[in-house]
Amino acid sequence: MSYPADPNQTPPAAHAPQGPWLQGLNAPQREAVTSLDGPLLVLSGAGTGKTRVLTARLAQLVATRKAAPWNILAVTFTNKAAREMKARILQLVGPMAEQVMLGTFHSIAARMLRRHAELVGLKSDFTILDSDDQLRLLKQLLDAEQIDPKRWPARMLAGIIGGFKDRGLVPAKVTPAEASDFANGRAAELYGLYQARLKTLNAVDFGDLLLHMLTIFREHDDILRDYRSRLTYIMVDEYQDTNVAQYLWLRLLADGHQNLCCVGDDDQSIYGWRGAEVGNILRFESDYPGAKTVRLEENYRSTGHILSAASAVISHNEQRLGKTLYTSDAQGELLRVSGYWDGQEEARTLSSTIEGLMRDGADLNQIAVLVRAGFQTREIEERFLAIGLPYKVVGTRFYERAEIRDAMAYLRLINQPADDLAFERIINTPKRGLGTASLQQIYHLARSTQTPLLAAAGALADSDELRAQARRALADFCQQIAGWYQQKDTLPPSEFAQIVLDEAGYTGMWQADKSPDAPGRLENLKELIAAMENFDTLGGFLEHISLVMDNEASSDEGEVSLMTLHAAKGLEFDSVFLPGWEEGVFPSQRSLDENGGAGLEEERRLAYVGITRARKKVYISFTANRRIHGLWQSSIPSRFIAELPAEHIEEDMAQGLGLGRAEPVMLGDIGGRVGKPGYGPGWGRMAERQISSPRNSHTDAPQRDRDGWLPDKGRHNFEKGMRVFHQKFGMGSIELVDADKLEIAFDKAGLKKVVASFVTLPEEMD
Ligand code: ATP
Ligand code: MG
């Protein structure tokens, strides 16, 4: 037996076609695992062992010496899944598992691209830009091209370019029909400029990883042939969520040997909004004539009730192949469907149910809370933090999200004007036209006078040190902060926060943003404001946040997982909580508005994915009242609840809220009934804490700062008539002294207001 390529490696020692990986497999699973040559599709429902089949098949390939580990390419959907598969294979075939090319599309393409970077004009040490860097670059580009970023935001362009890349289109291949109307039809041109700019920077974005490899394969036949002869067996998990670029990349690699095994489930295609094409899996048999298709029908994950309920929901979709699924497992417990008064009650009951499971010996790692939209985690996280229940968020914790940090920075700065970190975060967010030079002036002055940045900004705004535009921007900003400072204790915190974010232009910034993540960020901001309703003062709220953020419980008992339904694909847990099943939240109104019937079907697939993550217990809930987009709304239970057959669920309407009978609630009712329950003693009454500024607490002996300035430089006893020197305006005579401000008649520049610390006496000049 000979192996293609890589002569430096030793082939596997044992010939073990009956290895442990085959034990316990059912007949069709075994068939998939042992059909090693030619195209193979495993198309089947959730929990039927598709991922397990891939792992076993990998072991089988190595053990039967069909392929050496380095001949195998295995693509998983997440890096976590890749790690798990690697661990399993290490157990099955030993250290040779390290040689398998195993990972996500991105990680594998990145590895390949490092080897051939020069062929697309890059060096092998190219940088992979994150989305922030990418946006910064696009903003510069729009600026250089004099395209109004308000009308045509950089994020929107990022989305369009990402779409081209998902479809495998290099700039020259974008047809006018696909160019969209961005900047009056300039998207393709801007895409070209952006790619050129990336090249100069020796950088790529995520979409480039595959796109560049496609280009290399298309233009360098020898390289493609080399990969084909080396990677003789290819396997792909979650094939239903591949996009066009991934599809083309796989086709190029598999053409010739055609040893391509794809597994997936059309009912779990949930990334259509990100370019996934469920058509890829549906077309497999015609793309690869002679392909063998294996269907797995036995579900090994979930109890009978869970599986039947999930199957009933997904059967409402019209665009699907349809499958039979059964389990030999017991019927198990009915799915619990509960209605609550509002989100707080839902979060409270959810956490006490988890505490109950813990008392019964449950492992927290086996419990997940899956939500439709990111903003939904806030109430649940706060409840977990309040009762000290250890949890982890897959993705970013609510209060750590960028837009929440920005909003909090405004509130912190108003509450405590010496909060320099907050100042830095927001001084140019949204853009106020302050360049690096102006910002440096502020830092400089703050350092030399040992004042907070906000005070330094105020002083500069009142002088002629800066360009007129920057001066005006600073003056406006300082005035706004001062105005809000006066107002902060006169309004309820939530109302106040709304006003600040609106007046600051922060809400507007996200409203103008047409990128796919902007609506989610706006939802998060609304959720923040809703959270503030439970507090009497701004200080009390800020205190609460600094305490909860500090209170990360960690424990040996594991952690509850909190994540979106999208992030839960492929995973499994004993108990799964699915809160927020209300029309508008789930199915998401946005999805329905934008994609109509197809949007609804994708939402329903998400419901199917959610329910089928559970092995033993499912808890679905909805509330009668929900604050959505800042307004209390009486909500209607999700249509997906009505699609759950009665024989598989038990209703738990502790609050007398029957299914479909949620009573509308008057706004006036809310205050009385909701009040401030559930946050444990004293949450709304926390004493205001004065954050002392580090700058204020270091007023001892003057020391030179990092730039070698003496902090008290400039603190002269200036008097009218003194001759002084200013870096920008030159020599002049003091006309007026007003504390730290001077009016100086400069010999050349005329009469100017300047800040005292920017002026030196002639004898100090070096
Ligand atoms: P999903 O569609 O959610 O990705 P899947 O089809 O990939 O699911 P797996 O995750 O591979 O399913 O398997 C689901 C569960 O069933 C796992 O815990 C797995 O170990 C178990 N399982 C799979 N096949 C068998 C089998 N033949 N005997 C016992 N357990 C099995
Ligand atoms: Mg799987």
Side-chain angles (χ1 to χ4, degrees), residues 420-462:
D420 283 353
L421 290 175
F423 178 93
E424 287 177 24
R425 188 164 181 109
I426 56 170
I427 180 62
N428 236 350
T429 309
K431 286 267 171 294
R432 296 194 169 80
L434 294 165
T436 338
S438 315
L439 295 179
Q440 270 168 359
Q441 290 261 58
I442 300 173
Y443 284 115
H444 185 102
L445 178 60
R447 269 205 301 272
S448 60
T449 54
Q450 289 204 321
T451 48
L453 290 171
L454 183 63
L460 279 173
D462 217 11

Side-chain angles (χ1 to χ4, degrees), residues 80 350 354 363-371 377 380-381 384 389-395 397 557-565 567-568 571-579 613:
K80 181 164 178 271
L350 185 153
I354 293 178
D363 172 0
L364 286 184
N365 292 320
Q366 282 302 327
I367 299 176
V369 181
L370 310 180
V371 295
T377 69
I380 299 166
E381 283 188 64
F384 286 175
L389 187 68
Y391 75 98
K392 62 165 179 263
V393 174
V394 176
R397 286 170 173 244
E557 299 159 273
E559 296 159 323
V560 175
S561 299
L562 186 50
M563 69 188 99
T564 62
L565 289 160
L571 306 180
E572 55 187 26
F573 303 88
D574 285 343
S575 307
V576 170
F577 289 79
L578 302 166
R613 296 310 94 200

Side-chain angles (χ1 to χ4, degrees), residues 51 237-238 570:
T51 303
D237 200 359
E238 307 276 5

Side-chain angles (χ1 to χ4, degrees), residues 355-653:
E355 288 177 315
L357 293 173
M358 277 172 82
R359 278 193 297 277
D360 295 341
D363 172 0
L364 286 184
N365 292 320
Q366 282 302 327
I367 299 176
V369 181
L370 310 180
V371 295
R372 172 64 185 91
F375 81 89
Q376 290 176 265
T377 69
R378 201 272 310 166
E379 263 175 336
I380 299 166
E381 283 188 64
E382 289 215 7
R383 183 67 195 157
F384 286 175
L385 288 163
I387 62 172
L389 187 68
Y391 75 98
K392 62 165 179 263
V393 174
V394 176
T396 314
R397 286 170 173 244
F398 184 81
Y399 287 111
E400 286 166 9
R401 295 172 190 163
E403 62 280 9
I404 300 302
R405 283 173 171 272
D406 289 344
M408 296 291 294
Y410 272 99
L411 301 176
R412 275 167 44 197
L413 186 62
I414 295 165
N415 192 56
Q416 171 53 265
D419 191 335
D420 283 353
L421 290 175
F423 178 93
E424 287 177 24
R425 188 164 181 109
I426 56 170
I427 180 62
N428 236 350
T429 309
K431 286 267 171 294
R432 296 194 169 80
L434 294 165
T436 338
S438 315
L439 295 179
Q440 270 168 359
Q441 290 261 58
I442 300 173
Y443 284 115
H444 185 102
L445 178 60
R447 269 205 301 272
S448 60
T449 54
Q450 289 204 321
T451 48
L453 290 171
L454 183 63
L460 279 173
D462 217 11
S463 76
D464 291 321
E465 306 282 350
L466 299 173
R467 285 180 302 116
Q469 188 207 347
R471 211 168 58 207
R472 220 169 18 246
L474 270 191
D476 289 349
F477 179 73
C478 295
Q479 227 164 34
Q480 272 187 319
I481 299 276
W484 292 326
Y485 185 83
Q486 299 297 324
Q487 259 181 318
K488 76 182 166 83
D489 295 320
T490 63
L491 290 169
S494 61
E495 207 175 304
F496 176 68
Q498 181 76 64
I499 290 173
V500 169
L501 296 179
D502 288 351
E503 288 184 356
Y506 190 73
T507 323
M509 178 181 99
W510 287 113
Q511 280 161 347
D513 192 321
K514 295 289 173 279
S515 63
D517 57 344
R521 293 182 195 268
L522 284 166
E523 278 172 7
N524 286 341
L525 290 173
K526 297 283 186 196
E527 183 60 25
L528 175 72
I529 286 162
M532 297 178 73
E533 292 201 334
N534 301 298
F535 296 86
D536 300 326
T537 65
L538 178 63
F541 174 70
L542 294 172
E543 172 76 8
H544 162 69
I545 299 308
S546 55
L547 290 179
V548 296
M549 291 307 289
D550 205 30
N551 179 21
E552 270 186 46
S554 69
S555 91
D556 303 333
E557 299 159 273
E559 296 159 323
V560 175
S561 299
L562 186 50
M563 69 188 99
T564 62
L565 289 160
H566 281 104
K569 202 167 63 150
L571 306 180
E572 55 187 26
F573 303 88
D574 285 343
S575 307
V576 170
F577 289 79
L578 302 166
W581 278 40
E582 295 130 36
E583 284 292 305
V585 176
F586 188 44
S588 136
Q589 193 58 45
R590 207 179 334 134
S591 198
L592 301 184
D593 291 347
E594 286 170 12
N595 298 309
L600 175 62
E601 297 216 338
E602 184 148 317
E603 294 289 306
R604 195 177 275 114
R605 290 194 290 271
L606 271 173
Y608 175 74
V609 167
I611 298 171
T612 55
R613 296 310 94 200
R615 293 198 190 95
K616 302 194 178 100
K617 293 171 193 272
V618 172
Y619 301 85
I620 293 172
S621 55
F622 62 92
T623 67
N625 306 285
R626 175 85 64 190
R627 261 198 84 124
I628 304 174
H629 307 317
L631 291 173
W632 277 107
Q633 298 183 2
S634 55
S635 33
I636 304 170
S638 167
R639 70 191 77 190
F640 302 147
I641 289 182
E643 293 170 5
L644 295 164
E647 67 266 33
H648 302 302
I649 61 172
E650 64 180 334
E651 290 182 32
D652 171 24
M653 301 298 126

